[in-house]
Amino acid sequence: MANILFVYSTTDGHTLKISQTMQTVMEQAGQQVQLLPLDQVNAEQLSQCDKLVIGASIRYGKHQASLVQFIADNKAVIESKPSAFFTVNLVARKAEKCEPHTNPYIIKLLDQLAWQPSLQGVFAGKLNYQQYGFLDRNMIRFIMWVTKGPTDPTTNQEFTDWQKVDEFAHAVCQL
């Protein structure tokens, strides 16, 4: 049984929901999983785990700066063990941008960090205009208009392929 440290960085909570789903799948497969928000992870937890999973959301085309700094600061430890990384973004709702080798955000981040996790994943997120503040709602509506996505301000739509999430979780168990 592996000791898996599962770290997540979320903006609106959907990355946490995906992470919790994966945690359940991994625990049902007999893995021991500790799920923590990025800001609660310490060096001891990182060094003591057998495997590491990092999940992160995108907002306005970028991962959170704290996530980038965390990976950069701990790269040697991260690279010393099997690791998995996934990103959650609305661009991944498009068939041509839903894989690690076609999603611009994961490609950019991994290039920036010169990091190649053992396993990489991309999942489409959730669009919930009513949850956003005025500025975010209108900025995201504009981005959706440009990318031919939903712009109705009452939209609350989950684009996540949950079977793909389960498959990724099972793949983590095999690392």
Side-chain angles (χ1 to χ4, degrees):
M1 171 172 66
N3 173 23
I4 300 172
L5 178 59
F6 199 132
V7 180
Y8 68 91
S9 169
T10 191
T11 304
D12 296 313
H14 196 65
T15 302
L16 172 58
K17 182 178 178 181
I18 290 171
S19 299
Q20 289 169 328
T21 299
M22 284 190 202
Q23 177 186 20
T24 299
V25 170
M26 288 185 249
E27 288 175 344
Q28 288 173 346
Q31 306 296 303
Q32 180 181 339
V33 182
Q34 182 178 19
L35 179 65
L36 293 173
L38 178 68
D39 63 356
Q40 291 183 18
V41 177
N42 62 46
E44 182 179 343
Q45 293 162 319
L46 194 56
S47 66
Q48 290 181 353
C49 68
D50 300 319
K51 299 177 189 179
L52 176 66
V53 179
I54 302 173
S57 63
I58 292 287
R59 179 57 62 90
Y60 302 131
K62 296 184 180 192
H63 290 92
Q64 292 179 12
S66 58
L67 170 87
V68 176
Q69 193 64 53
F70 172 82
I71 295 170
D73 289 349
N74 296 288
K75 191 173 174 201
V77 175
I78 292 170
E79 289 180 332
S80 73
K81 53 192 75 211
S83 64
F85 176 76
F86 68 90
T87 185
V88 179
N89 56 77
L90 287 170
V91 168
R93 74 186 189 283
K94 296 182 170 194
E96 69 274 13
K97 295 189 180 183
C98 68
E99 297 296 330
H101 65 280
T102 62
N103 186 273
Y105 304 125
I106 194 170
I107 292 168
K108 180 180 176 184
L109 179 72
L110 297 181
D111 284 349
Q112 174 187 351
L113 293 167
W115 177 43
Q116 286 301 310
S118 311
L119 181 64
Q120 301 169 22
V122 175
F123 306 108
K126 180 179 180 179
L127 180 61
N128 183 356
Y129 286 121
Q130 296 169 350
Q131 177 182 343
Y132 310 140
F134 177 80
L135 182 61
D136 282 336
R137 180 174 42 256
N138 287 298
M139 290 293 293
I140 294 168
R141 284 183 72 204
F142 176 72
I143 293 165
M144 286 293 116
W145 176 75
V146 169
T147 62
K148 302 186 181 359
T151 58
D152 179 342
T154 64
T155 299
N156 181 357
Q157 185 174 355
E158 209 172 82
F159 294 95
T160 310
D161 179 341
W162 292 102
Q163 181 177 341
K164 190 174 172 184
V165 169
D166 287 354
E167 290 168 2
F168 188 87
H170 284 293
V172 169
C173 295
Q174 300 305 312
L175 288 177

